[in-house]
C-alpha cells in the first residue's frame, strides 16, 4: 500500500482534493506527532509567494502556449540548504539571466525564466536504498527537506523539522530573487519553480487568495514518478491556480496524458499547463509523436518543453551518475523536430545546471564510462556546468532558427 496524502489533521488543512489518494515518494517520517506540529506551523506562516506573482507567470507562460515566447527552467537537481545565501543565489541568478538574454536576443522573442530554486529541496528516488562504495546500505538521500546527504545512517533518518528549515531557506532565497527584479522589465524576471513532491510541505501552503494557489512557488511541476492521474500529486496540482508542469517520461501513455490535460487544465487556459518531455535520446523518436498528437487532438492548450537531462543518465565505471552533452543535444534535436512535424511549438528547455565549475556531465557519450569527474558536487543528478549549459542553449537557438 502506498502512503496516503495526509495523516491525522486532514480535516483542518486545505488542499482536500489530495486527501486519501495514493501518494508515492513520501518519506517514512518516524514521528507522526512532530509531522503534524510542523504542518500546523507551516499553515500559520505567511505565504512565500503572493498569488498575483504566480498569476503573472501564468500570463507569461500563455505566450509560450501561443508560440510567441520560449521558457527556460534551470538549476540544481537538488538545492542545498547551505546555498540559501546571497552569493550562491546571485551566481545562479546571473547564469539564468545570461542564458535568458541569449535566447531573447537570438530568437527575438520573450523568454519566461524560472529557476529550480527556493524550494527544490526534495527528491523522488528510484530506490529507497543506497549501496555505498564501502558496502554499507543506507536509506537514500531524499533532499535537504527530508534528510542529510552525509553517508551516515542517523543522518538519513527523515526529520520533519527539515520542512521548516526548507521554508526558511526558500524565504531567504526568494528575498534574493526579488532583489534581482529591481530595475528589470516585468517579463524579464526569474521566477521560482520546484517539484511539487512533499505533501506535508505543500498542502499547508495552499492558500485561498481568493482562489486556492500553492504559495510555496510560482510554478510547480509533478515528477515522472508521481504523475498518476488519480494520485495525490495530480490532485494537489489540480486544486491550485498556479501554472503547473508534468514530466513526461517513457512510460507515459497517450490515455494518461490526455487525462492529465483534462484534469489539470479543464478551463483550457493557455499557460496553465506545461508538459516537460524527458524521454531519452534513444527513445524519444518512437515515444513522443503519439503523445503530442493525442494532446493536440484534445484542443487543450499546453506548452511543450524539453528536459533533455533525465532520460539520459548513465553510470561511470565507478558508479557515478553522469550524462553526455552529446545525448542531451540529440534528444533536444529530436524534440524540436518532432514538435514541429506535428504542428506544435517546441517551447523551451528544462535543464539541470550550475554556474559552479563542476565536471558532472561529459561532452561525449563515448567518455561516459571512463570519465573521472573530478569536480563532482551534486548530491543527486549530474548538472551541466556554465559552458555546457551555454552550449545547450546555443544549440536550441540554432535548432529554432533553422526553420
Ligand atoms: C528532476 O527534475 O530532478 C526529476 C527527478 O525529474 P523526473 O521526475 O523527470 O525524473
Ligand atoms: Co534531477
Amino acid at each position: 500500500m502506498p502512503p496516503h496524502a495526509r495523516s491525522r489533521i486532514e480535516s483542518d488543512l486545505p488542499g482536500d482534493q489530495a486527501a486519501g489518494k495514493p501518494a508515492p515518494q513520501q518519506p517514512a517520517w518516524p514521528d507522526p506527532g512532530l509531522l503534524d506540529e510542523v504542518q500546523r506551523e507551516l499553515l500559520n506562516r505567511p505565504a512565500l509567494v503572493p498569488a498575483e506573482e504566480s498569476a503573472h507567470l501564468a500570463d507569461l507562460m500563455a505566450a509560450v502556449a501561443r508560440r510567441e515566447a520560449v521558457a527556460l527552467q534551470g538549476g540544481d537537481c537538488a538545492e542545498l540548504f547551505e546555498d540559501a545565501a546571497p552569493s550562491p543565489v546571485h551566481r545562479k541568478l546571473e547564469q539564468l539571466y545570461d542564458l535568458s538574454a541569449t535566447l531573447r536576443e537570438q530568437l527575438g522573442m520573450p523568454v519566461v525564466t524560472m529557476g529550480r530554486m527556493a524550494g527544490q529541496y526534495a527528491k523522488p528516488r528510484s530506490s529507497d536504498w543506497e549501496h555505498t562504495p564501502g558496502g554499507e546500505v543506507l536509506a537514500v538521500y531524499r533532499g535537504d527537506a527530508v534528510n542529510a546527504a552525509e553517508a551516515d545512517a542517523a543522518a538519513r533518518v527523515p526529520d520533519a523539522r527539515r520542512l521548516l528549515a526548507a521554508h526558511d531557506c526558500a524565504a531567504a532565497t526568494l528575498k534574493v530573487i526579488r532583489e534581482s527584479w529591481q530595475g528589470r522589465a516585468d517579463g524579464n524576471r526569474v521566477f521560482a519553480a520546484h517539484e511539487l513532491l512533499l505533501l506535508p510541505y505543500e498542502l499547508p501552503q495552499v492558500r485561498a487568495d481568493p482562489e486556492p494557489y500553492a504559495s510555496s512557488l510560482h510554478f510547480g511541476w509533478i515528477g515522472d514518478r508521481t504523475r498518476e492521474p488519480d494520485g495525490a500529486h495530480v490532485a494537489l496540482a489540480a486544486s491550485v491556480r498556479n501554472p503547473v508542469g508534468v514530466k513526461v517520461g517513457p512510460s507515459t501513455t497517450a490515455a494518461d496524458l490526455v487525462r492529465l490535460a483534462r484534469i489539470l487544465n479543464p478551463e483550457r487556459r493557455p499557460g496553465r499547463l506545461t508538459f516537460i518531455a524527458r524521454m531519452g535520446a534513444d527513445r524519444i523518436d518512437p515515444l513522443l509523436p503519439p503523445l503530442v498528437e493525442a494532446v493536440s487532438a484534445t484542443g487543450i492548450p499546453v506548452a511543450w518543453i524539453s528536459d533533455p537531462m533525465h532520460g539520459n543518465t548513465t553510470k561511470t565505471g565507478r558508479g557515478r551518475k553522469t550524462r553526455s552533452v552529446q545525448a542531451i543535444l540529440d534528444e533536444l534535436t529530436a524534440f524540436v523536430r518532432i514538435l514541429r512535424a506535428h504542428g506544435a511549438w517546441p517551447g523551451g528547455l528544462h535543464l539541470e545546471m550550475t554556474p559552479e565549475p563542476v565536471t558532472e556531465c561529459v561532452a561525449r557519450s563515448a567518455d561516459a564510462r571512463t570519465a573521472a569527474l573530478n569536480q563532482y558536487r551534486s548530491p543527486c543528478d549530474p548538472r551541466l556546468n556554465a559552458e555546457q549549459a551555454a552550449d545547450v542553449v546555443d544549440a536550441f537557438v540554432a535548432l529554432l532558427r533553422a526553420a
Side-chain angles (χ1 to χ4, degrees):
M1 270 275 289
H4 287 256
R6 246 350 142 49
S7 55
R8 311 202 309 260
I9 49 174
E10 242 163 61
S11 53
D12 52 351
L13 286 178
D16 270 340
Q17 291 85 340
K21 303 224 168 170
Q25 294 286 337
Q26 302 305 291
W29 303 104
D31 183 344
L34 177 62
L35 184 62
D36 282 357
E37 260 175 57
V38 163
Q39 289 187 87
R40 286 187 192 286
E41 158 121 30
L42 286 172
L43 191 64
N44 290 320
R45 287 194 178 188
L48 289 169
V49 164
E52 57 273 16
E53 286 179 8
S54 171
H56 178 49
L57 176 59
D59 288 344
L60 298 175
M61 283 303 294
V64 180
R66 289 193 308 260
R67 308 165 180 244
E68 292 161 7
V70 295
L72 171 67
Q73 300 184 320
D76 299 311
C77 179
E79 240 183 326
L80 302 178
F81 286 171
E82 67 184 41
D83 287 346
S87 46
V89 176
H90 277 306
R91 288 200 294 277
K92 294 180 201 184
L93 289 170
E94 195 179 287
Q95 181 182 31
L96 281 161
Y97 283 120
D98 283 353
L99 294 175
S100 168
T102 300
L103 287 167
R104 191 172 55 250
E105 284 155 22
Q106 300 290 316
L107 295 173
M109 55 169 58
V111 181
V112 188
T113 314
M114 289 163 262
R116 292 174 56 112
M117 286 172 90
Q120 183 55 22
Y121 298 117
K123 299 308 302 170
R125 303 308 305 252
S126 41
S127 168
D128 287 341
W129 307 103
E130 176 190 340
H131 295 262
T132 68
E136 227 186 325
V137 182
L138 291 172
V140 75
Y141 171 65
R142 289 185 174 275
D144 277 7
V146 177
N147 56 10
E150 195 188 328
D152 171 82
R156 293 290 173 87
V157 177
D159 180 350
R161 281 167 300 206
R162 286 179 165 271
L163 297 171
L164 298 177
H167 189 280
D168 294 338
C169 291
T173 303
L174 276 162
K175 182 168 180 286
V176 183
I177 292 176
R178 286 207 184 84
E179 282 162 10
S180 79
W181 294 352
Q182 302 302 317
R184 283 179 201 274
D186 252 22
N188 294 341
R189 296 173 171 179
V190 169
F191 291 87
H194 68 253
E195 179 173 346
L196 289 166
L197 181 66
L198 291 179
L199 297 161
Y201 181 74
E202 303 298 345
L203 291 174
Q205 295 193 72
V206 174
R207 301 288 155 86
D209 186 14
E211 291 178 273
Y213 79 105
S215 70
S216 65
L217 42 69
H218 297 114
F219 178 105
W221 74 88
I222 301 172
D224 193 46
R225 294 165 188 79
T226 51
R227 59 173 159 69
E228 160 58 43
D230 295 312
H233 294 86
V234 170
L236 163 63
S239 74
V240 295
R241 289 291 287 180
N242 311 58
V244 292
V246 182
K247 292 287 199 86
V248 178
S251 66
T252 317
T253 64
D256 273 358
L257 209 58
V258 166
R259 280 194 68 205
L260 287 168
R262 294 191 199 289
I263 293 169
L264 292 172
N265 198 5
E267 296 168 23
R268 301 182 170 232
R269 280 190 285 141
R272 154 69 176 171
L273 179 59
T274 299
F275 284 140
I276 308 170
R278 39 84 85 218
M279 294 294 182
D282 52 355
R283 292 198 265 188
I284 186 168
D285 270 308
L287 295 181
L288 189 59
L291 300 181
V292 175
E293 269 185 28
V295 173
S296 296
T298 66
I300 297 171
V302 304
W304 279 99
I305 69 175
S306 170
D307 164 0
M309 313 295 297
H310 285 88
N312 294 304
T313 313
T314 61
K315 279 200 173 160
T316 69
R318 293 175 179 174
R320 272 267 154 92
K321 285 205 239 180
T322 191
R323 292 161 173 156
S324 84
V325 174
Q326 187 183 351
I328 288 166
L329 296 181
D330 285 349
E331 174 156 357
L332 192 55
T333 304
F335 171 83
V336 172
R337 173 171 34 76
I338 292 165
L339 271 284
R340 282 229 173 96
H342 292 84
W345 174 236
L349 287 172
H350 182 111
L351 301 178
E352 286 187 342
M353 62 182 205
T354 175
E356 308 304 325
V358 300
T359 50
E360 297 173 1
C361 295
V362 296
R364 299 177 319 140
S365 304
D367 302 330
R369 274 305 283 174
T370 54
L373 308 180
N374 289 322
Q375 295 295 323
Y376 202 105
R377 299 191 201 139
S378 174
C380 202
D381 290 342
R383 301 160 297 177
L384 300 166
N385 61 29
E387 195 186 335
Q388 291 167 333
D391 286 348
V392 173
V393 165
D394 287 345
F396 183 65
V397 166
L399 287 163
L400 282 200
R401 289 174 105 178

